Amino acid sequence: MIHNVTSESPIGIFDSGIGGLTVVKAVQAALPAERIIYFGDTARVPYGPKSQVTIRKYAYDDTLILMRYQPKMIIVACNTVSALALDVVEKACGTLPVIGVLKAGAELAVNATKNNRIGVIGTQATVSSNAYACAINMLNAEIEVISQACPLFVPLAEEGFIDHPATKLIAREYLTEIIQHDIDTLVLGCTHYPILRRVIEETIGQSIRIIDSAEAVALRTKQLMTESELLNPARRAYAPHLLVSDLPQKFSMLYKLFMGSEMPDVELVEV
Amino acid sequence: MIHNVTSESPIGIFDSGIGGLTVVKAVQAALPAERIIYFGDTARVPYGPKSQVTIRKYAYDDTLILMRYQPKMIIVACNTVSALALDVVEKACGTLPVIGVLKAGAELAVNATKNNRIGVIGTQATVSSNAYACAINMLNAEIEVISQACPLFVPLAEEGFIDHPATKLIAREYLTEIIQHDIDTLVLGCTHYPILRRVIEETIGQSIRIIDSAEAVALRTKQLMTESELLNPARRAYAPHLLVSDLPQKFSMLYKLFMGSEMPDVELVEV
């Protein structure tokens, strides 16, 4: 063990930017007594289009930043790092458990599907990497995975166009084809997409089950902490401790959009 | 003079990413016999949200990359660098003339307005910097400038949603208020926006004159090269020489979207 872990140690969560706040929110909802340290690498976002060497270096940096706070586990809220550099994170944090958003989402989807046809939506980088399809087929090779990149969903979510007619039109454009493949399960393979969940639900109809990777991670975390007897016994709820590598102008607006509450103090760290 | 300049020397153009290709296209249209070297810093895009220190460092790097090709002048196609680091570029290229997209657009708008009411649209970073308003008011303090950030226009343009009903809805949302301010001139203060020119025109109506900063730079360049007797006498048209710091997956699709022609070879440079 690299440092001394107790049930009161925090849970470390990182992402390339602010998208991982949906994971923070889901973990808070599942485990309100846990202390959460979140690092968003807002200075170097997005990771998706960068080379694998660069992404692996960033994943290492991000892990070390969280390790300063002696966490009891690490959650990789970034789909790109989950796909291309989870081993880097695991190595950098020794015996600490690591959960990646991608595998957690894939597992939940595999358990949910009845007809073995799963849809996955994500950024262009995530979809091109084929990472969800690989993770799903590692668990069950029989399952057919149909993927669709939805590149405008991130900017639409960040601009708060949650319920806008333009978002509905774009959702219809992206999702019409994928639902024609008779999927019964749809994975939201990007941390921003839960923000647009209602529009997505309206577009695909009620017969398709939505798998929110953020919720999947939270479930898996609760399970793991329970098994390891590391659940925080505190009876109070903690605000997350936020670290960012750059402070975008819109940060407090985005925090409110993602978390539904006012932004606490934010600490700027150098990368 | 840092290096030997002749009429056959190339014109160097740089931008934080691919947006500056609209400037390349406008310069090519105005001066088809000129050789153009374009550098797009696709590895470090976007500049807008970064700190001024970082932007000034990048501007210096970008200039030095172009200087290797011994240009006869430099065009700064990046609004952020034009606003915050034009002096860095000027210093780094000695006695060579430098034209920034921002000042060229501001000058043309000031000459065009009859009622002294100019609208400016751009990214959040450009609008928050107030750079167009300052440049316009330096030329004529009487002019009222009304600005509006249109953050979804860049992703919509890059996704090729040129004529999409969703783009029309979003354009109406962004532009309805600004045209109520009785402007007679609207500056496209972002290099991506010419891609959406038709939707913007349809939304604002024919009574408002659109100033395309890319065309403004091309006009100013032609004037400057004519005055300095540095026009290339060649009777052939050259394809631009393209340098990028990273090669995004969509690059050739984007090139075609911006330039209307197939992508020539692209050279990868390290930054």
Side-chain angles (χ1 to χ4, degrees):
Chain A
M1 191 68 69
I2 295 180
H3 53 254
N4 208 19
V5 162
T6 72
S7 59
E8 281 168 35
S9 306
I11 294 175
I13 304 178
F14 76 85
D15 183 30
S16 55
I18 49 141
L21 288 174
T22 55
V23 174
V24 173
K25 196 180 174 190
V27 173
Q28 268 193 328
L31 297 163
E34 296 298 331
R35 291 166 56 209
I36 295 173
I37 308 275
Y38 178 79
F39 173 57
D41 193 4
T42 44
R44 303 192 293 195
V45 69
Y47 285 6
K50 296 189 169 119
S51 71
Q52 193 166 349
V53 175
T54 302
I55 290 161
R56 291 174 72 81
K57 186 194 167 307
Y58 289 177
Y60 182 73
D61 296 346
D62 299 344
T63 308
L64 291 199
I65 285 167
L66 287 179
M67 288 298 278
R68 291 183 207 150
Y69 296 85
Q70 313 205 339
K72 55 185 172 188
M73 67 170 292
I74 301 263
I75 296 175
V76 180
C78 174
N79 276 288
T80 306
V81 172
S82 295
L84 300 175
L86 203 66
D87 59 310
V88 173
V89 179
E90 284 169 341
K91 208 165 167 190
C93 58
T95 52
L96 289 188
V98 174
I99 296 182
V101 75
L102 193 149
K103 198 174 157 210
E107 279 172 356
L108 200 59
V110 168
N111 290 336
T113 184
K114 302 246 184 309
N115 72 353
N116 280 2
R117 300 178 72 79
I118 297 176
V120 175
I121 55 174
T123 63
Q124 188 62 58
T126 298
V127 167
S128 301
S129 76
N130 231 11
Y132 270 96
C134 291
I136 288 168
N137 287 139
M138 286 274 279
L139 296 164
N140 182 344
E142 308 277 287
I143 293 175
E144 190 164 347
V145 179
I146 300 101
S147 304
Q148 171 70 46
C150 304
L152 286 167
F153 277 0
V154 167
L156 286 167
E158 292 202 353
E159 290 308 315
F161 276 50
I162 309 299
D163 229 4
H164 198 278
T167 308
K168 292 178 187 174
L169 283 175
I170 291 169
R172 207 178 305 152
E173 175 122 352
Y174 285 147
L175 302 173
T176 300
E177 207 199 309
I178 198 170
I179 58 180
Q180 282 166 353
H181 283 85
D182 191 29
I183 55 169
D184 70 349
T185 308
L186 179 69
V187 180
L188 308 186
C190 169
T191 46
H192 278 68
Y193 293 2
I195 307 285
L196 300 179
R197 182 167 181 152
R198 205 184 324 158
V199 175
I200 294 168
E201 265 169 354
E202 278 172 21
T203 311
I204 63 172
Q206 295 196 325
S207 60
I208 298 173
R209 167 138 178 225
I210 288 182
I211 301 293
D212 175 345
S213 296
E215 285 173 11
V217 162
L219 274 174
R220 191 77 196 80
T221 302
K222 189 171 182 175
Q223 211 175 14
L224 188 73
M225 290 295 98
T226 309
E227 284 165 13
S228 340
E229 297 182 350
L230 279 172
L231 283 174
N232 194 328
R235 299 209 170 181
R236 50 162 294 187
Y238 292 94
H241 184 157
L242 297 184
L243 312 165
V244 290
S245 49
D246 194 17
L247 203 56
Q249 289 170 5
K250 300 188 300 174
F251 194 80
S252 74
M253 185 276 274
L254 287 167
Y255 185 89
K256 209 167 168 183
L257 180 69
F258 277 73
M259 298 291 287
S261 59
E262 291 299 327
M263 184 175 77
D265 287 346
V266 176
E267 198 178 321
L268 206 60
V269 292
E270 244 182 89
V271 284
Chain B
M1 193 66 69
I2 295 181
H3 52 254
N4 208 19
V5 163
T6 72
S7 58
E8 282 168 33
S9 305
I11 293 174
I13 303 179
F14 77 85
D15 183 30
S16 56
I18 50 142
L21 288 173
T22 55
V23 174
V24 173
K25 195 177 176 195
V27 172
Q28 268 192 328
L31 297 163
E34 296 297 332
R35 292 167 56 210
I36 294 172
I37 308 274
Y38 178 76
F39 172 58
D41 192 3
T42 44
R44 304 192 293 196
V45 70
Y47 286 5
K50 296 188 169 117
S51 70
Q52 192 166 349
V53 175
T54 302
I55 291 162
R56 291 173 72 82
K57 185 192 168 310
Y58 290 177
Y60 182 75
D61 296 346
D62 300 344
T63 308
L64 291 200
I65 286 168
L66 288 178
M67 289 297 278
R68 292 183 206 148
Y69 297 85
Q70 312 206 339
K72 56 185 171 187
M73 66 171 291
I74 300 263
I75 296 175
V76 181
C78 174
N79 275 288
T80 305
V81 173
S82 295
L84 301 175
L86 203 67
D87 59 312
V88 173
V89 180
E90 284 169 339
K91 208 164 168 192
C93 61
T95 53
L96 289 188
V98 174
I99 296 183
V101 74
L102 193 151
K103 197 174 159 208
E107 280 172 356
L108 201 58
V110 168
N111 290 335
T113 184
K114 302 246 186 307
N115 72 354
N116 281 0
R117 300 179 72 80
I118 297 176
V120 175
I121 55 175
T123 63
Q124 188 63 58
T126 299
V127 167
S128 301
S129 77
N130 228 10
Y132 270 97
C134 290
I136 288 168
N137 286 139
M138 287 273 279
L139 297 163
N140 182 344
E142 309 276 286
I143 292 175
E144 188 164 351
V145 179
I146 300 100
S147 303
Q148 170 70 46
C150 304
L152 287 167
F153 277 0
V154 167
L156 287 167
E158 292 202 351
E159 291 307 316
F161 276 50
I162 308 300
D163 230 2
H164 197 278
T167 309
K168 291 179 188 173
L169 283 177
I170 290 169
R172 208 178 307 152
E173 176 123 351
Y174 285 149
L175 302 173
T176 301
E177 207 199 308
I178 198 171
I179 58 181
Q180 283 167 353
H181 283 85
D182 190 30
I183 55 169
D184 69 349
T185 308
L186 179 69
V187 180
L188 307 185
C190 168
T191 47
H192 278 70
Y193 293 2
I195 307 285
L196 300 179
R197 181 166 181 152
R198 208 187 320 158
V199 176
I200 294 168
E201 265 169 355
E202 278 172 23
T203 311
I204 62 172
Q206 295 196 327
S207 59
I208 297 172
R209 169 142 176 221
I210 288 182
I211 301 294
D212 174 345
S213 296
E215 285 173 12
V217 163
L219 274 176
R220 190 75 196 83
T221 301
K222 188 169 184 180
Q223 209 175 13
L224 188 72
M225 289 295 99
T226 310
E227 284 165 11
S228 341
E229 297 183 348
L230 280 172
L231 283 173
N232 194 327
R235 300 218 171 171
R236 50 161 295 188
Y238 292 93
H241 183 157
L242 296 185
L243 312 166
V244 291
S245 50
D246 194 16
L247 203 56
Q249 290 170 4
K250 301 187 304 175
F251 195 81
S252 75
M253 184 278 273
L254 287 168
Y255 185 89
K256 210 168 167 183
L257 181 69
F258 276 74
M259 297 290 288
S261 59
E262 291 299 327
M263 185 176 72
D265 288 344
V266 176
E267 198 178 320
L268 206 60
V269 291
E270 243 182 271
V271 283

